[in-house]
Amino acid sequence: MKSAKIPQWTGDPVQPLPMADVASRVAAGLCLVEEARSNPDIWALTSDVLNSTGLVPFAKAFPERFLNVGIAEQSMMGIAAGLATCGKIPVAATFGFLASMRACEQVRSDIAYPNLNVKIYATHAGVALGKGGTTHHALEDVAIMRTFANMTILEPADVLETQKVMAAAVAHQGPVYIRLRRGPGPVIYQGELAYQIGKANLVREGNDLTLIGCGRTVGECLLAAALLTQRGISARVLDMHTLKPIDDEAIAAAARETRMVITAEDHTIIGGLGGAVAEVMAELGLATPLRRLGVRDIYAGIGGEDELLAKHGIAGPQIAAQVMQFLE
Amino acid sequence: MQTLTPEEKQELDLIANKMRSQIIEMFHVAGGGHFGGSLSVVEILVTLYGAVVRFDPAQPRWEERDRVILSKGHASGALCPVLGHWGFFDEGLLDTFNQLDSPFGMHPDMNKIPGCDMSTGSLGHGLAVGIGMALAGRADDKDYRVYVVLGDGECQEGTVWEAAMIGSHLKLNRLTAIVDRNRLSLDGATESINALEPLADRWRSFGWHVLECDGHDPAKIHQAIQQAHDYLDGPTVIVANTVKGKGVSFMENKYQYHYAILTNEELEAAREEIAR
Ligand SMILES: Cc1ncc(C[n+]2csc(CCOP(=O)(O)OP(=O)(O)O)c2C)c(N)n1
């Protein structure tokens, strides 16, 4: 399972996706402000990462519903739980590594177990804080959160989907882990977007194989699919924006209707998107070949976000090159 | 008690200045960095390595060495040049700071940086690790000492106080904590976000021997550390009063420079001020 050498794409490049003009964490913070305008129960909490999580507009607009607890993530989750028992909808914001690991037991025992209506707003997912190095990467969070009963896990792929996710998370009764990024990301959706928790979005039709991404890797899968047309391969792309509860039907359809399923996640390949898809396919008895792309049981190292995505084989060209290798 | 001679102090001041200059240049190449907390901790680290800590750069894992944990790991930008200056590796390598797969990152990695005793980056972890090191030293009859450098904002973490309790309970007199008391964290002033005061009294009530000093004067830092060594009944914490962003006036006492990317004008102004 250790990293084999990642092959490089030898064909022509394709046009990159257009980039959003706003950082994803800023977009998420603005979406939350919108939700809070019509819902006076929404609170926001942070732990000395106010600006980094994009919550400055919220703190300015609703100072009476905002609290910065200082550098104390575990207590922030406890305070959020307490607020939720009193009918508030607290949104607890910090980096993904801290939300899922520093405050892990508070999230399990104080939020998930009593099924409290807390929204965990976890930014800098995967290697988004690339140069921060291993301590600041969140490559295990989905695996951890997926094991907590009552927890829903959502990961938007772009700004428009972030709006949908934020609205759905707030409307959903119960704990939600919202996996967000940092800087500007690619634009995946334009115009109307139908969104439902638990229902994957088909972002590209295809009938040879299926690429499944979540968050940042949705755009990378789209790029890979575009590259693969150069080799005469038609790839379906699914946006698995809900990691839990996962869309069994979309996975089953992909496994039945195409000849290979490839997952790509900015996360360890253990227990995240790839793990969840493998579980579904195995239990349904679907023998379609499955390949999981992601960080392969190592620490990702230091580097810029894009450099690390390429290094670990989850950027578009590397995904396409690996697909060609799998098909050989 | 040993004190620094004026010449020794002056020498450390000069090294501190060189470290500031390297921090600015490294962060320039890296495209940004944790200026505030790296600049505030310079004299603390320079005094430790220049006048206190027992080490051998040829044997970074020497068993008899004193241990230093930079619990506020985001100040890696200050630790790396200090270790380079004292010969753990070629200082030229610092040019790679925070580039893809460089050993020198925004947060230090003990398995990549010779002389770094603990990987850090997530706040509130270092003191407990230091207690483990001190405990092992006592069990093995070693006379090495352990120094843990903490941020003041970091002291808002509960884990710091759990470790503080057991550290004094175990009477680990070979353990010294140094708090870089620059009064700012990431989002602003510690006293307006989640007040730490009375900080010295809090440590005292947790059973620690508490000292305070000017954290930018190597002679004062050295003197406090000597006093810590002389105290045999338990661990000592030194609250070192510092200025976040020290040495670059437009950064001083400004939380906005906790992490920053400098404009060309700022870069030139910082270079000029440090060269003076
Ligand atoms: C557990 C944890 N929470 C949050 C962060 C993000 N963070 C990095 S530095 C910092 C502020 C630290 O303030 P302080 O300890 O006072 O350090 P200094 O002012 O000396 O830089 C924060 C919140 C982190 N690295 N670890």
Side-chain angles (χ1 to χ4, degrees):
Chain A
M1 191 155 66
K2 287 277 180 198
S3 344
K5 203 160 165 18
I6 304 285
Q8 299 300 318
W9 179 252
T10 51
D12 297 330
V14 286
Q15 191 71 15
L17 295 166
M19 290 297 276
D21 52 8
V22 55
S24 49
R25 57 175 191 224
V26 172
L30 294 174
C31 295
L32 191 60
V33 169
E34 283 314 307
E35 294 302 318
R37 280 195 211 291
S38 54
N39 189 336
D41 288 331
I42 296 177
W43 279 56
L45 287 80
T46 190
S47 48
D48 200 36
V49 283
L50 171 59
N51 196 23
S52 327
T53 51
L55 286 187
V56 172
F58 189 104
K60 289 213 169 108
F62 309 107
E64 69 295 342
R65 295 193 252 151
F66 171 77
L67 177 68
N68 189 340
V69 301
I71 311 171
E73 298 77 14
Q74 300 169 80
S75 301
M76 174 173 72
M77 294 303 176
I79 294 167
L83 285 165
T85 64
C86 302
K88 309 296 180 207
I89 307 174
V91 179
T94 185
F95 298 163
F97 79 93
L98 295 164
S100 62
M101 290 182 274
R102 180 50 153 273
C104 180
E105 198 213 342
Q106 278 79 5
V107 171
R108 198 276 312 244
S109 300
D110 305 341
I111 295 173
Y113 163 49
N115 201 14
L116 293 173
N117 202 16
V118 174
K119 314 306 162 188
I120 300 164
Y121 177 115
T123 61
H124 302 69
V127 297
L129 229 167
K131 292 192 174 191
T134 294
T135 55
H136 284 55
H137 296 163
L139 289 164
E140 305 86 353
D141 56 338
V142 176
I144 294 166
M145 289 295 148
R146 231 161 53 80
T147 62
F148 296 169
N150 295 330
M151 187 62 78
T152 293
I153 308 174
L154 306 180
E155 182 170 9
D158 75 353
V159 171
L160 184 57
E161 198 171 43
T162 301
Q163 286 169 11
K164 301 285 179 183
V165 159
M166 211 56 83
V170 169
H172 175 82
Q173 182 66 37
V176 181
Y177 184 84
I178 310 168
R179 196 170 193 249
L180 300 164
R181 291 196 81 81
R182 180 194 194 187
V187 177
I188 311 290
Y189 298 105
Q190 258 131 6
E192 282 300 296
L193 169 61
Y195 182 88
Q196 197 187 324
I197 290 180
K199 188 125 190 44
N201 290 339
L202 176 66
V203 286
R204 184 181 171 120
E205 286 286 2
N207 40 35
D208 290 328
L209 49 84
T210 304
L211 299 170
I212 307 180
C214 55
R216 171 64 196 259
T217 56
V218 173
E220 302 303 329
C221 288
L222 279 174
L223 276 183
L227 291 170
L228 288 167
T229 58
Q230 292 172 18
R231 301 281 191 267
I233 294 163
S234 151
R236 173 181 302 184
V237 177
L238 289 179
D239 167 9
M240 198 59 76
H241 55 73
T242 305
L243 291 150
K244 188 188 175 188
I246 201 144
D247 187 347
D248 305 27
E249 284 174 19
I251 296 168
R256 292 202 173 101
E257 295 162 14
T258 68
R259 280 179 283 129
M260 185 182 279
V261 175
I262 297 112
T263 58
E265 61 197 304
D266 184 9
H267 187 272
T268 166
I269 55 165
I270 301 170
L273 171 67
V277 169
E279 289 162 13
V280 170
M281 287 175 61
E283 288 207 331
L284 291 176
L286 297 167
T288 313
L290 167 71
R291 293 286 187 281
R292 294 166 303 155
L293 304 182
V295 178
R296 300 190 74 81
D297 203 23
I298 52 171
Y299 292 103
I302 295 167
E305 176 179 12
D306 292 335
E307 290 174 316
L308 290 180
L309 292 175
K311 175 182 167 187
H312 293 283
I314 40 181
Q318 285 77 13
I319 294 174
Q322 288 170 100
V323 167
M324 292 312 299
Q325 207 172 48
F326 298 150
L327 292 175
E328 269 164 22
Chain B
M1 193 187 334
Q2 260 186 304
T3 52
L4 290 185
T5 64
E7 295 73 36
E8 285 168 333
K9 173 190 153 23
Q10 204 187 0
E11 168 74 14
L12 294 183
D13 282 336
L14 284 175
I15 297 170
N17 199 55
K18 171 181 156 192
M19 298 298 105
R20 288 205 161 83
S21 156
Q22 288 192 356
I23 289 169
I24 302 295
E25 298 310 325
M26 278 164 45
F27 289 173
H28 171 52
V29 176
H34 286 99
F35 287 96
S38 297
L39 292 170
S40 67
V41 82
V42 166
E43 281 81 7
I44 295 170
L45 294 177
V46 163
T47 308
L48 279 170
Y49 283 91
V52 177
V53 170
R54 179 168 76 197
F55 64 90
D56 176 2
Q59 314 175 62
R61 295 278 166 102
W62 181 35
E63 280 190 23
E64 308 300 326
R65 75 190 186 285
D66 288 341
R67 272 72 169 169
V68 177
I69 299 176
L70 183 64
S71 190
K72 42 169 280 184
H74 59 281
S76 178
L79 180 65
C80 293
V82 165
L83 295 175
H85 177 83
W86 272 286
F88 282 100
F89 47 80
D90 174 4
E91 289 173 272
L93 294 173
L94 294 170
D95 286 351
T96 66
F97 189 78
N98 240 349
Q99 307 301 307
L100 182 65
D101 290 335
S102 167
F104 308 105
M106 196 188 283
H107 302 97
D109 181 336
M110 65 184 279
N111 291 315
K112 294 196 178 140
I113 304 174
C116 171
D117 289 318
M118 184 63 203
S119 305
T120 51
S122 186
L123 298 166
H125 290 222
L127 191 57
V129 178
I131 287 168
M133 291 176 176
L135 203 54
R138 184 153 82 188
D140 295 345
D141 240 341
K142 303 259 186 215
D143 70 348
Y144 64 75
R145 296 182 186 276
V146 181
Y147 302 91
V148 181
V149 180
L150 298 144
D152 52 356
E154 181 178 9
C155 295
Q156 291 166 341
E157 286 284 1
T159 45
V160 171
W161 301 99
E162 296 171 13
M165 274 177 79
I166 189 77
S168 62
H169 175 78
L170 294 170
K171 297 201 181 328
L172 294 169
N173 65 295
R174 306 191 79 74
L175 172 68
T176 304
I178 305 177
V179 178
D180 179 355
R181 182 69 171 120
N182 59 32
R183 308 191 80 87
L184 298 176
S185 60
L186 195 162
D187 281 341
T190 57
E191 297 318 284
S192 62
I193 294 171
N194 187 358
L196 294 167
E197 294 299 336
L199 185 59
D201 285 343
R202 285 183 174 169
W203 281 99
R204 224 168 263 126
S205 76
F206 273 71
W208 285 60
H209 174 227
V210 182
L211 299 167
E212 287 189 66
C213 74
D214 173 347
H216 293 304
D217 180 342
K220 300 270 169 54
I221 299 167
H222 180 261
Q223 187 187 17
I225 295 173
Q226 296 304 316
Q227 284 173 315
H229 292 175
D230 290 344
Y231 182 79
L232 300 179
D233 290 342
T236 296
V237 59
I238 300 170
V239 178
N241 292 309
T242 57
V243 172
K244 197 154 176 164
K246 174 75 177 178
V248 181
S249 42
F250 65 84
M251 296 187 194
E252 288 188 355
N253 293 313
K254 293 233 168 57
Y255 75 90
Q256 292 87 343
Y257 287 91
H258 171 79
Y259 180 93
I261 300 165
L262 299 190
T263 62
N264 286 337
E265 296 77 58
E266 286 177 319
L267 174 65
E268 283 318 316
R271 279 178 173 156
E272 202 175 296
E273 188 170 347
I274 288 166
R276 246 184 263 145

